[in-house]
Amino acid sequence: PSPVPTMVPTRLPTPDPSSLPSPLPTPVPKPVPTQVPSLQPTTSLVPTPVPTPVPSLRPPSPLPTTARPTPIPTPSPTPLPTLDEACFFCEAGKYSEAGQSTCSTCEPGHYSGKEAAGCGKCDAGTYSNESAASCMTCLAGRWSGTAAELCTECDPGRSSAAGAVSCEACIAGTYQSKEGATGCTNCSVGYYAAITGSAACIPCAPGFFSPTKGAVSCLKCSTETDIYGPSYWSSEGSATCDECQKDFYREPDETCASMQIDGFVKEIGVTLTTL
């Protein structure tokens, strides 16, 4: 093998001192001006060195996912009692005045709705029981005044419709014998009622008659009709003149004929049959 050549280092030339640049002059430090004390707070012109944090060997704590400040509880004000909590409403049929601790009951003849401060009076023609929420109408045949507890039955000779404030008297020619009636009835034939408010009709007297219902008077057989005459008569409560006067007798055709036979005179009511 060929021998490896030996490397000989080359020497660098030594520079001439005259060719080197002149050294820079050394700067002279300037004096630091003395600060005059000020009335204002002195601020240091020299910044305070910030200490370099020393790295911790422990791993850093994980930050919270949501960093929120802890709320300070605000005290809730004490709520004032509402009307429903402080008071109770009265039910229908009861009432209360200011300051009462309980509800009072409406008296008979009075009524009230819910939340009432007093009770009202029932109108005439109506009535109510105790603790009523409303008033009820009187039935036919009864009546009532204001603030009534019950309705009163009509007296005989009177009647009423429902909700009546009074009972009406039966008109002349009619009557009512019962209490609590809803109407009046006409007098039958042979009877009459001359006044209002009659509880019964009066039968026609003998010699009088009443041919129609609801009569206010009776007719006289002898003079007050064209059908009969002086020779006719009637019994009590008759609808017709069915008898004859004294000295007369009744023919088959129901007429009254003079009866003068041998001077014999018959009594009233004689007929041809009895003769």
Side-chain angles (χ1 to χ4, degrees), residues 171-174 187 191-195 210 212-218:
I171 62 174
T174 65
C187 293
Y191 291 77
Y192 74 100
I195 60 174
S210 173
T212 58
K213 294 181 179 180
V216 298
S217 63
C218 297

Side-chain angles (χ1 to χ4, degrees), residues 95-143:
Y95 73 99
S96 68
E97 299 177 349
Q100 284 189 223
S101 58
T102 58
C103 296
S104 302
T105 301
C106 291
E107 297 179 354
H110 297 73
Y111 72 99
S112 74
K114 294 181 179 179
E115 307 171 19
C119 300
K121 295 181 179 180
C122 292
D123 295 333
T126 64
Y127 72 100
S128 74
N129 300 320
E130 185 181 49
S131 188
S134 61
C135 300
M136 295 173 285
T137 303
C138 292
L139 299 176
R142 291 169 171 79
W143 68 280

